[in-house]
Amino acid sequence: MKNIEKETKTADLDVLQEQPLLIEGRNAVLEAFRSGKPVDKLFVLDGCQDGPIRTIIREAKKHDVILNFVGKERLNQISGTGKHQGVIAFAAAYEYAQVEDMLALARSRGEAPFLILLDNIEDPHNLGAIIRTANVMGAHGVIIPKRRASGLTATVAKTSAGALNYTPVAKVTNLARTIEELKEQGLWFVCADMDGEAPYKMNLTGPIGLVIGNEGEGVGRLVRERCDFLAGIPMKGEIDSLNASVAAGVLSYEILRQRLHKAGE
């Protein structure tokens, strides 16, 4: 079923504990949905089909929240109170924006849109650092996928050093589809790739989306195939890859440099 994942293996508890707020219990979770609180994930006792649980599942689907059906032992492991009543929600520390908010921000500044899209960035420290970079390099927002990505946790907020207060972050269901939709609005996309062309040889001054993957797997195939250019960072040394947040910083600076040069600043 769409947006439902049946957990087949134990997730890393440390990752789960990165969530800034656990909402436990049926009434509390239902109220969180109805009040509009941003929820990243929902864990529900597998096999439980009573009325309140079905209502919560309907709300989760309505808000396009990732659903995980797990055993009682797993819920007990995640729970901070021991009174989860078969349901636990992970709430985000900050409200998510919409992609349109970022385009509107660019228009309000009279600038060509500059967005940073992240694929497979699961480390909250990396995400926070990239959001900070996005702010200082003049990007209009950061886009992350719903799955295989860190949400806006307390660690992300802290690492961003306040940038989350100024830089919109949107969470989308399908990153490849989002790229296609943004292309229709005039954006070009450059993907960070070890085998790509040096960024200073490219024209990065127009409406652009910079796509960054993690340092192990890089950008996923489907997302990579939708990018217009591949940008590689020249390196000299024994290590052949950069941390994702460092790569984002180097490439973002080149985009900013070219924009400032074009504007004569």
Side-chain angles (χ1 to χ4, degrees):
M1 296 176 64
K2 185 178 180 181
N3 296 326
I4 297 178
E5 291 181 339
K6 187 143 182 176
E7 201 167 89
T8 57
K9 60 182 180 180
T10 300
D12 185 347
L13 185 58
D14 290 337
V15 173
L16 299 178
Q17 290 174 335
E18 284 288 355
Q19 299 296 329
L21 177 63
L22 293 181
I23 302 176
E24 304 184 39
R26 300 176 180 192
N27 290 337
V29 170
L30 190 56
E31 181 58 31
F33 279 122
R34 290 177 172 172
S35 67
K37 192 169 191 65
V39 174
D40 282 330
K41 297 178 183 178
L42 183 70
F43 288 78
V44 177
L45 180 62
D46 193 15
C48 186
Q49 292 292 326
D50 61 25
I53 291 294
R54 288 199 300 269
T55 301
I56 290 170
I57 291 173
R58 281 198 301 271
E59 288 292 325
K61 291 178 179 178
K62 185 189 305 181
H63 292 84
D64 201 21
V65 171
I66 295 175
L67 270 163
N68 298 273
F69 290 100
V70 299
K72 186 175 182 180
E73 181 180 352
R74 186 67 184 132
L75 283 174
N76 290 341
Q77 186 183 22
I78 299 170
S79 175
T81 67
K83 301 177 181 179
H84 51 73
Q85 297 178 308
V87 61
I88 298 175
F90 286 165
Y94 279 72
E95 294 280 348
Y96 289 102
Q98 301 296 318
V99 175
E100 179 53 40
D101 297 333
M102 303 173 188
L103 301 178
L105 178 60
R107 287 193 296 268
S108 71
R109 294 177 178 174
E111 299 170 343
F114 171 21
L115 308 180
I116 298 178
L117 294 82
L118 306 179
D119 191 25
N120 300 326
I121 303 296
E122 300 181 271
D123 183 344
H125 296 90
N126 267 338
L127 177 57
I130 291 170
I131 293 170
R132 184 176 184 179
T133 293
N135 181 264
V136 300
M137 297 301 172
H140 301 104
V142 175
I143 300 174
I144 60 177
K146 288 183 181 291
R147 302 177 187 277
R148 299 190 67 186
S150 171
L152 296 183
T153 69
T155 298
V156 171
K158 181 179 180 180
T159 309
S160 79
L164 259 179
N165 294 307
Y166 307 102
T167 304
V169 178
K171 180 174 271 194
V172 299
T173 302
N174 189 305
L175 206 58
R177 186 181 306 129
T178 297
I179 289 175
E180 293 292 347
E181 292 170 353
L182 286 169
K183 280 186 175 184
E184 294 176 359
Q185 301 196 52
L187 273 76
W188 294 79
F189 287 86
V190 58
C191 175
D193 188 277
M194 288 175 56
D195 298 322
E197 184 179 7
Y200 50 79
K201 297 180 179 180
M202 308 169 72
N203 183 351
L204 304 175
T205 58
I208 197 164
L210 172 61
V211 184
I212 303 289
N214 68 35
E215 58 190 282
E217 301 175 9
V219 175
R221 180 182 60 83
L222 292 178
V223 172
R224 186 177 183 272
E225 288 175 351
R226 283 162 175 77
C227 293
D228 302 291
F229 309 105
L230 301 180
I233 300 172
M235 290 181 282
K236 182 179 180 181
E238 288 68 42
I239 306 299
D240 63 359
S241 67
L242 289 172
N243 174 277
S245 63
V246 174
V250 172
L251 293 172
S252 294
Y253 175 72
E254 180 58 24
I255 292 173
L256 175 61
R257 186 193 69 80
Q258 291 191 23
R259 288 182 169 216
L260 293 176
H261 179 75
K262 183 178 180 180
E265 298 181 23

